[in-house]
Amino acid sequence: MNRYASTLRHVMSALAAIVALAAPAAAQDKVKVGVFPVSSSLPYFVALERGFFKEQNIEPEMVRLTIEGINANIKKPGVAMYISVNSQNKTYQMEQFVVRKGFPATSIKDLKGAKIMSAPGPANVTMAKAALAAVGLKEGDYTIDQLDMGQHVNVMQAGTFDAGYTLEPNASTMRKMGIATTIEAGVIAHYVLGDPNANAFVGGCALTSDFIKGRPDVAKRFTAAWGKAVELINSNPQEARKHLLKNTFTPDDVVDTVPMIRYFMAKDLTAKDKADYQKFIDFSVQTGTLTEKVDVSKYLQTF
């Protein structure tokens, strides 16, 4: 990273983020963007393939990189300023519990004695355990192991695990193949926020304060491109789904059925949205995923 580099982060977890580096201005402003290849990164793929970045004279370069954004703000306040956040719940599905074909469970409480896989990272494991605890299952009533997202479908097909806390599009792929069923989606909204239809903001796109201060025009134009992608996804999800192909683990015969999450630009969040976001972060502090209390309103960036 040279002295001109600034960082942009997009996250799969509200605690984890993507990274992009803004390079010196040239014919186009080059920006490296760290992307996690799941459906929560859809605005990036839409903005890239629809030419929204190009319209703003930005040339993005994708790298695979995951960094914990809110934890980063604890270490260095302002390092990750969120321009948008992603909502998931019972309707806008991302995280969910699935069970393999033949395993006798129709609800989370039926997972006593199950061998469970989890999406990787402390935030995902913590949320899985929180849901299990909420229905009366304590550690020891089950086993849970982190597993790379790319392996979830294969191990469920092989019967290596009885159940899984997985993310889209893996769950849709499992259902399409007939190897697993979803027993509950939107568990963070349900068990952490107390309302299956609440907005659980567990992801988003963030810019570093260094990027915003050092290259404000580039940051503003990047945000405009991202916002245009968000608008397209929210207004025409069926069209936007096409951009999951080749960019994520979504097979051709599954893409039309993958549930979509809801994307919000920071400027569009209501007071209740911000309160739900704060409640999720406070829970992460209580469970030790975050080391100290964070005021999320300080890290929402609008232009």
Side-chain angles (χ1 to χ4, degrees), residues 105-138:
T106 58
S107 67
I108 297 176
K109 67 181 179 181
D110 296 329
L111 296 182
K112 186 171 184 178
K115 185 177 181 181
I116 304 171
M117 66 176 183
S118 171
N124 284 314
V125 174
T126 297
M127 295 305 144
K129 289 182 177 180
L132 291 162
V135 298
L137 299 183
K138 59 184 183 297

Side-chain angles (χ1 to χ4, degrees), residues 45-156:
F45 304 126
V46 170
L48 177 65
E49 295 177 354
R50 294 272 170 153
F52 299 161
F53 287 131
K54 189 174 182 179
E55 289 174 359
Q56 295 294 334
N57 201 38
I58 288 174
E59 182 184 344
E61 177 188 346
M62 189 183 85
V63 294
R64 293 196 177 188
L65 190 61
T66 302
I67 292 181
E68 300 211 338
I70 296 298
N71 262 325
N73 280 327
I74 290 174
K75 297 174 183 178
K76 182 182 178 182
V79 72
M81 301 295 294
Y82 286 84
I83 60 171
S84 76
V85 287
N86 309 336
S87 167
Q88 52 203 61
N89 54 31
K90 184 178 181 180
T91 301
Y92 300 106
Q93 298 178 7
M94 172 55 72
E95 88 298 345
Q96 55 202 279
F97 275 96
V98 297
V99 293
R100 63 173 172 79
K101 184 178 180 179
F103 187 78
T106 58
S107 67
I108 297 176
K109 67 181 179 181
D110 296 329
L111 296 182
K112 186 171 184 178
K115 185 177 181 181
I116 304 171
M117 66 176 183
S118 171
N124 284 314
V125 174
T126 297
M127 295 305 144
K129 289 182 177 180
L132 291 162
V135 298
L137 299 183
K138 59 184 183 297
E139 293 191 44
D141 287 338
Y142 57 85
T143 62
I144 189 165
D145 295 290
Q146 297 182 50
L147 195 67
D148 180 81
M149 294 300 301
Q151 299 181 49
H152 282 209
V153 173
N154 290 338
V155 298
M156 192 60 68

Side-chain angles (χ1 to χ4, degrees), residues 27-277:
Q28 287 187 315
D29 291 294
K30 294 183 179 180
V31 180
K32 287 187 178 179
V33 187
V35 179
F36 196 53
V38 293
S39 57
S40 62
S41 299
L42 185 56
Y44 173 80
F45 304 126
V46 170
L48 177 65
E49 295 177 354
R50 294 272 170 153
F52 299 161
F53 287 131
K54 189 174 182 179
E55 289 174 359
Q56 295 294 334
N57 201 38
I58 288 174
E59 182 184 344
E61 177 188 346
M62 189 183 85
V63 294
R64 293 196 177 188
L65 190 61
T66 302
I67 292 181
E68 300 211 338
I70 296 298
N71 262 325
N73 280 327
I74 290 174
K75 297 174 183 178
K76 182 182 178 182
V79 72
M81 301 295 294
Y82 286 84
I83 60 171
S84 76
V85 287
N86 309 336
S87 167
Q88 52 203 61
N89 54 31
K90 184 178 181 180
T91 301
Y92 300 106
Q93 298 178 7
M94 172 55 72
E95 88 298 345
Q96 55 202 279
F97 275 96
V98 297
V99 293
R100 63 173 172 79
K101 184 178 180 179
F103 187 78
T106 58
S107 67
I108 297 176
K109 67 181 179 181
D110 296 329
L111 296 182
K112 186 171 184 178
K115 185 177 181 181
I116 304 171
M117 66 176 183
S118 171
N124 284 314
V125 174
T126 297
M127 295 305 144
K129 289 182 177 180
L132 291 162
V135 298
L137 299 183
K138 59 184 183 297
E139 293 191 44
D141 287 338
Y142 57 85
T143 62
I144 189 165
D145 295 290
Q146 297 182 50
L147 195 67
D148 180 81
M149 294 300 301
Q151 299 181 49
H152 282 209
V153 173
N154 290 338
V155 298
M156 192 60 68
Q157 185 174 29
T160 308
F161 290 87
D162 301 312
Y165 179 82
T166 192
L167 309 173
E168 288 292 354
N170 281 345
S172 291
T173 301
M174 293 175 193
R175 292 193 297 269
K176 179 72 175 181
M177 294 173 64
I179 61 175
T181 58
T182 294
I183 54 176
E184 185 170 354
V187 296
I188 296 175
H190 187 179
Y191 298 108
V192 175
L193 301 183
D195 178 1
N197 296 308
N199 286 314
F201 293 111
V202 191
C205 177
L207 314 180
T208 65
S209 53
D210 287 345
F211 186 8
I212 295 167
K213 292 175 183 177
R215 310 208 67 208
D217 181 61
V218 179
K220 185 176 181 179
R221 285 187 279 117
F222 186 96
T223 301
W226 197 274
K228 190 171 181 178
V230 163
E231 182 179 2
L232 185 149
I233 296 167
N234 290 337
S235 63
N236 194 346
Q238 193 62 26
E239 181 68 18
R241 278 186 175 93
K242 297 175 182 178
H243 298 278
L244 292 172
L245 293 173
K246 300 179 182 178
N247 292 313
T248 69
F249 301 119
T250 312
D252 290 6
D253 60 350
V254 173
V255 68
D256 289 335
T257 62
V258 175
M260 300 292 284
I261 57 178
R262 180 68 162 78
Y263 301 88
F264 291 78
M265 296 304 290
K267 65 183 178 62
D268 298 325
L269 295 175
T270 66
K272 182 173 188 307
D273 291 334
K274 294 176 183 178
D276 283 343
Y277 192 9

